[in-house]
Each structure stands twice: as structure tokens, then as C-alpha cells.
Amino acid sequence: MRNPVLAAIIASIFCSIIMILLLTNTVIDPYLKATNWSINLFDFYENNNEVNKIYILGDSLAQMGIDPLATGDYLKKNNESFKVYNLHYAGDNPYVRIVELAHMARSKPKIIVFCPQYRWFSTLYWTPSWGFYPQLEDRYSLVADKTILDPYTRSLFNKTQLDLIQKDSLNLFFYKKRYLIPSLQFRIYEALSINNSAMPRITNFNREVWPVYWIKKPQDTPNCEIIEDNNIQKKAFLYMTRYLKGQGIHVIIINMPYHPDYLRTISNESKNNYSNLMNETGCSYYNLDSFCSDLEFFDYGHINYYGRQNLTKEVAEIIRYEVTNAPK
Amino acid sequence: MLPNEINYYLILLFLLIIIPLISRERQIVFLLVSSYILYIVSNSYLVFSLVFVTVLTFYCGRLIYDKNNRKLYLVLALLGCLGQLSFFKYSGFLALQGVSIFTFLALGLSYFTFMALSYVFDIYRGKLRPTNSLIEYALFVSFFPVITSGPILRAVDFLNQIKSRIVITSKDLQLGLTLITIGLILKLLIADNLAPFVDAIFSDPTKFGSQAIILGTLAFGIQLYFDFAGYSDIAIGTAMILGFKFSMNFNNPYFAMNPSDFWRRWNISLSTFLRDYLYIPLGGNRKGTLRTYLNLIVTMVLCGLWHGATWNFLIWGGYHGCLLCLHRLLPIPNRRIFLIIIMLLTQYFVFLGWLIFRVNNLDNLIYCLRMFLVPTGLNFFYFIIGLLAVSIFILSRDKIANNDWVCFIGSMKPIYWFIYMVIAINVIYWSWPVRVTKFIYAGF
């Protein structure tokens, strides 16, 4: 065999590997670091050394409902110094959030405020197959080398799900290549100083002002039948609350407000089942499902600017009460 | 194990290191063992199907050559091979009709069965002497680059190439790698990126109107071509690196001037197989006009059925048979403008055929045909874009069709070829999907 061809093959492979490494490390990684919620959150868990901190966990209802800065200010005025973080995730639910449990506990917050809603535990709504694979993939694929699952948590997932949640470093490296085009676009936008909507979401937790509009009757009335079974969401929620309590973290559960019209569609039996589950956790439980008037919503459960102000104050007051009265 | 999986290339690399170091006999044994291991990894116990076809046709070939009861052994080989093919391939069809038998399909069954049959036919027709070596023959039937999706090799071409020791030359390596990279780019960059669009439309076509059905059909025709041509390029390139030379399986089929020309350019190994072993033995065009048309239709219907046991393949085969008859029936004036019109009409009918090929539910097929043939609600903007695309297609025909890009790249000076390889490897890496998409023709 003549050498030049072989040399060309080896050199081309070598150069390609260098180009791939360079593009991944200098273009894709910084883009992901700047824009990916999960990467930022895991970094936040690992690197935030604040002693007096409170995490608010929930979905978009918590995202729109609770202003963390205003909560922190309220506590400060009442001589309680806490840094409050709203670690919401749109479409959050316990079965997905449980993947963060170990990191969350290791970062040692003083208080965790869970903001569940009825839909989380509705058997029909949150079955593991419902949009679950894309949700897991979107949320945890890029931190798959960091996730720590204990045996119980592992037992909640099937093999396909575990493969998504826990990738080795090589597979994670290959996985990142799908972000080449958005990361190049991001770089170009940055270079041209064009305002990019894909900003780091973790820095947006503090001040978000939502539009002042509402509807009288909710158009979206998702099924909320909560039967007395032991579905995977309930298992995950119970395990999370007990685990965090076991780690010495004070856990508060606040049931989020609902539009009155929507609340009427939920049966008393479902509400009782839900209430029993919350009490089963052994944590302080506050039911704010009818806290807001219909003028404070813009759909079945997302509240508007006025609702946000009122709810934030109420949540801050609950936290202050818990901090003052909770057993040390 | 398919060529869009990384393990395929690790095995190839391993073979490239070992093969130059060993003797001819060991090279053949080594290639055979590797082919079987790859087959077993992909297909588990269904390897018995491959062994059965190999042993049956090998011994039938020898018995046919001995001149006694030649027809009996030919029929035996045919019954054995086609019986098994039917059992595996068409039991699924019976299952659809309510008769449940067996629904597993040995990987590449249609390909290696046809290859083995070509060996028996060639001996029967006196065009080939049977080989004395079962190992060499077994390698021909199971040769790993081509077993899953072709091209369908002829024994005479293959067995002649292993008479001497396999030598891997730098020229073959360069050309072979060029073919592999081009094949991968066609598959990963074009076919796999069109796949989600096509699947979204044809998973439930009744949700869509004419525009989407037409665009979906166009996209599927392009996806199918790049997927299959990509596979063929990889297979031929792999074989070339290992010292084997096979003919190309595609020759710009969408530049075909008429239906006959299309079949001379599309899946050439299959169409020549059907021509040599079915159409010509049936009488070809030697037994009058009516018989010629009948032979064409029978051949193409069987071609359709070769793809699978569903109604749409049967209809697709018959449809192409009718197109071939129509082409013979209608005189085409030899003026450039007519030739262009006929070329465009040919492609229109070819893509209409792809619609039949893609939609395997009869109700959906009727709906799609209605949307395709009598389009409604077309966007004027898309119409202009389409017109532009067709004009570019006509103008670029000669330029593209008359250039052998593979040869051009494959014979570049190493320094330029190095630049090509860096670009190609990067394109392949960045376009390689996280989830591997199967080759369409690997399912046939």
C-alpha cells in the first residue's frame, strides 16, 4: 500500500477529531451553559453555597404565582434573612423532578416549598407514557453524566428511561452534536449584539411580570380525577418529601390556587384523596386552592400580575410562620 | 449490523488490518466467519435460513452440472429457496388476512435467495461451472457488505474475484472510502432528514391536503433514492476496500428519459436479475407483441411482490408493468422538446408509483391518489418554486449525469483528497442522527 493515501486517511481522521472537539467545547458547550435550564440547575445545586436558602419547586403555576425576590424581601422585613429561589419547571411533576433529588438534598437548603397541583396526581393525566420520554430527554439528557439515582428511585424507571437519564460521557458527547446549529446561531447573535430570547433561564427566576389579562371561564379543563390508587407520581412525591425530611430539610407543601370555575369541576372525592396524600407526607400542608378570585387568573390555574402579588405575600407569610414556629 | 452503525466500521477496520497478513485460503475463511458473525449478531437463529439456502443451492448446482435430472434439481433448488422465501416473507400477508403462521423475516433473505438462485440458473444455462469449494460459495451468499440490502451479486462476478489472493491497494482504499463517505452523506444528511417529514405525512395522510401529499411524495422519492443509493454506495465501497469490484446499482434514475430507461438506472442489480432470469426465460419480446406485454406485466408484478407481501407492492409492480407496456405502445418523436416532455412525464409517473409504494393501507392509498392526481388548494408560490426546480433539473441533467463524481474524488491527489475527507467526516459526524434510522431496503 502506498503511504500517501494511508497518511491522508489518518490525518483526516485526526483533523476531524480535533475539529469536532473544538466545535463541541468552544461553540456548543458555552451555548448550552448559557441557555440550558438543567445544566444551570445542576450547577446551581453543586455550587450555591448560600446557607440560608429556600427552594420553591413546582410547575408553571409556581413560576407565575410566586415572586422569589418579593418573598425574600418580605421575610427580610420580618427579620428572617433567606435567599429564595424559584426552581420551577414548566410541566413539572414529581416523577420527573425526583431525578434531581440527591443533588437538591446535597445543596442543603433550609426549606423546600413544594407547590403541587391536583393534576400532578390525576391518574389519567400524568401516566408515565404521557409525553414522558421527550420530557425526560429534554430535561436530563445533557446532565446525564451527573445524575445520581438511589435504588428506590431507579426502581421507578424502566430501562429505556434509565438509558435516557443516565448516559456515559461518550454518549453524552455524541448527543451534544444536535445543538450545533442553534449554538452557531447563538454565537452569531451574540457577535452581532442581537437580543437573544434564549437567555439563561436560571437568572430569570427573580422578576417576571406577567401580562394583566384573564378569562372568565377556563377554556382548558384538564381531567383531574384523583383516585385512591398508588400511582407512580404519588410514589415519587411521597419518597421525595420523606427523603428531604430525612436529610433535615424543612418541607412545606402549598396547594396552588385554581380558577373557581375549574375548581368546581374537581370532585370532593378527588380533593379528599389529594388531601390525604398531602397529609401522608407528614409535612406542613397549606391548601390555597381557592385563595384567588376569578379576576386574578388568566386561565384555569395560571395567575396574572395581581394574583401574583397577593399569592407571593401569602406564601411569604406561610414561610415566615413556618420559620418562626417550626421545631428547630 | 448495518452500515449506519459504528460497529460496522470497527469490524471493517479489523478486517483491513488482518486480511493483508494472511494467505488466500485464510482470507476467505476469515471473511466468511466475519460475515456469519455479523449476520448472527443481527439476526440470531435465523442464520439457519442462510445456511439452508447456501447448502441447498451449492449441492443442487453440482448435481445440475452433472447433466442427469438437471430439471429435477433446478426445481428442487427453486422450491427450496422460493418456498422458504414465501414462508418467511408472505406468511405476514396471510396473517393480515387472518391466517397466523409466522412473522419473522431473516435479514436480507430476499437478497441472498436471489443471489443463490442466480448461481443455480447460471449453471443450468451452462454459463457457469459450479465451484468445488463450499466455503467460497458460502462467502458469496453471505458476503457481509451486500447481504442486507444488495446489490444482488452474480456468482460468476464474485467467484472469479476470489480465485487469487485479496490484495488491498491504496487506489481501492481511496475509491472505496470515497464511496462509503458519499453513501453515508446521502443517507444521513439527506434521507434521514427527510424521513421525519415523510413519516409525519404518511402516518395518517387523510389529515393532509393535496399540497402536503404531493410534497410528501416528492420527499419520499428523494428519501428512498438517497437511502438506497447510499446503502449501495457503502456496500460497493466496503467491498472495494476489501479488493472486490462490483457494478454500481444506480445511475441517476431520476434523469431517466422513459420507463424502460428508469429500470436500467434504478436498482440495476435487481432489474437485470429479473430481466435475465425471469423476463427473458418467459420469452421476453421474442414471442409476439401481446406476449411481450404479458411478460412485462408478470415480471413487474413479481418485482413488486419481491418487495413485500402487501397489496400496494402488488399494485406498484403491476403499475410499472403497465408503464413499460405503454412506453412500447406509444411512438415517441425523436425531437428534443418531446424528449423533455416524456422525461418529465416519466418522472411524474415514477413519483406517482412511489406514492403507491409508500402507502400500504388501501383506503389511505385511494385518498392519496385522489389528492395527487386531482390536486386542490395548491399554493401559487409553491407552484413557481416547483417550476423553477423542474427547470434547474432539466438544465442540469447533462452536467450531472455525464460526470463521474466518485471517480473524480476517488482519484484526487492525496492532499486534495485529505481535504475532502475532513469535510466528509465532519458532515457525516454532525448529520449522524442520535437515533439510528433503518435503511428502507433492509426491510425487503
Side-chain angles (χ1 to χ4, degrees), chain A residues 1-2 4-6 8-9 11-13 15-16 19-20 23-24 28 137 173-175 177-178 180, chain B residues 168-171 173-174 177 414-415 417-418 421-423 425-426 428-435:
Chain A
M1 189 187 292
R2 278 174 59 204
V5 170
L6 196 60
I9 294 170
S12 61
I13 292 172
C15 287
S16 301
M19 282 176 74
I20 288 164
L23 272 172
T24 307
I28 297 176
E137 185 158 11
F173 184 84
F174 287 138
Y175 183 83
K177 69 196 169 93
R178 60 160 60 179
L180 178 68
Chain B
I168 299 170
T169 65
S170 56
K171 194 179 166 216
L173 189 61
Q174 187 174 351
L177 271 176
I415 181 71
W417 189 67
F418 153 77
M421 282 297 285
V422 171
I423 296 168
I425 291 171
N426 270 278
I428 290 164
Y429 176 80
W430 295 108
S431 59
W432 197 300
V434 173
R435 287 194 186 88

Side-chain angles (χ1 to χ4, degrees), chain B residues 292-309:
Chain B
T292 303
Y293 296 150
L294 184 68
N295 291 342
L296 281 172
I297 289 175
V298 168
T299 306
M300 293 316 292
V301 164
L302 289 174
C303 171
L305 279 177
W306 175 86
H307 286 82

Side-chain angles (χ1 to χ4, degrees), chain A residues 161-178:
Chain A
Q161 292 167 332
L162 285 171
D163 287 344
L164 284 174
I165 304 167
Q166 296 193 303
K167 285 189 184 69
D168 57 48
S169 301
L170 189 67
N171 273 319
L172 185 60
F173 184 84
F174 287 138
Y175 183 83
K176 284 181 187 172
K177 69 196 169 93
R178 60 160 60 179

